[in-house]
Amino acid sequence: MREIRATGHVEAVTTVQVGAEISGRIATVDVDYNARVRSGQVLARFDRTALAAQLAQTEAMLAATPAALEQAPPRAIVISRARRHSSLEPSRT
């Protein structure tokens, strides 16, 4: 093997911006810095604790919606429907 010594500046030939569609805490990083990766390869995994809690809260709210609708006064529902229809009809003046 031959050794070469030089002074200078080294730059990457190709750089890539990496991002995610959600934000959160990273639980694991599955690749090493400067490692070659394939398209579709998992680079990191999110900590699912906060996401699972948010999902549970949303599912609970969704499950409670029919009960809240049943408990709503009938007049409130009728008024809401009347407003919805009146905004769609042209005025007759």
Side-chain angles (χ1 to χ4, degrees), residues 60-82:
M61 287 174 39
L62 182 61
T65 300
L69 187 58
E70 287 294 322
Q71 293 176 358
R75 184 169 184 229
I77 296 170
V78 171
I79 290 171
S80 175
R81 287 182 183 153

Side-chain angles (χ1 to χ4, degrees), residues 10-28:
V10 178
E11 287 186 23
V13 175
T14 305
T15 59
V16 178
Q17 294 289 330
V18 178
E21 294 178 1
I22 61 172
S23 62
R25 180 171 286 171
I26 299 292
T28 63

Side-chain angles (χ1 to χ4, degrees), residues 15-93:
T15 59
V16 178
Q17 294 289 330
V18 178
E21 294 178 1
I22 61 172
S23 62
R25 180 171 286 171
I26 299 292
T28 63
V29 176
D30 298 339
V31 295
D32 291 327
Y33 182 76
N34 276 343
R36 290 183 180 258
V37 295
R38 299 178 316 276
S39 177
Q41 181 178 347
V42 175
L43 306 179
R45 298 177 193 277
F46 284 100
D47 178 357
R48 294 183 179 197
T49 306
L51 295 173
Q54 185 178 6
L55 177 61
Q57 181 181 13
T58 302
E59 287 174 336
M61 287 174 39
L62 182 61
T65 300
L69 187 58
E70 287 294 322
Q71 293 176 358
R75 184 169 184 229
I77 296 170
V78 171
I79 290 171
S80 175
R81 287 182 183 153
R83 285 185 185 154
R84 196 173 334 138
H85 291 298
S86 67
S87 66
L88 298 176
E89 294 177 9
S91 63
R92 296 180 181 158
T93 53

